[in-house]
Amino acid sequence: MNPVDLHRTAAALQQEWRSRPLGQVGSACVKVLRMNGLPVAEESHRDAEALLVLDGRLELEVDGELVPVGAGELYLVPAGTPHAVRPGSHGTLLIVERP
């Protein structure tokens, strides 16, 4: 596999909040997406999820509490924990999760 330019890959995505799978690490999928300021409804997953903000800011709500995540910061959402994206989130996000 060749190196992946995450910023260029995210910039080439046709639609915000539509992730592009980059590869697998064990059973986990590594994806990149662009955030555009719009909120995303609450969800939860059977397994933990890693959210790495490459640039911009993720306004995350976790179990009812606001958790701002800045560029270069990683947030691990525990398995089964309700979380949502609040308005104002923007930039590039790398996600590692099990499908």
Side-chain angles (χ1 to χ4, degrees), residues 8-61:
R8 184 172 294 161
T9 301
L13 294 173
Q14 293 182 355
Q15 186 175 354
E16 293 88 356
W17 294 113
R18 295 290 303 246
S19 62
R20 176 175 176 209
L22 302 172
Q24 295 282 131
V25 178
S27 62
C29 183
V30 179
K31 306 184 289 189
V32 67
L33 62 78
R34 282 185 297 126
M35 303 178 282
N36 68 347
L38 296 177
V40 176
E42 184 176 275
E43 61 183 11
S44 63
H45 308 280
R46 185 182 57 144
D47 296 304
E49 177 180 38
L51 305 172
L52 173 63
V53 178
L54 300 176
D55 62 72
R57 185 175 181 89
L58 173 62
E59 300 294 342
L60 191 62
E61 184 176 313

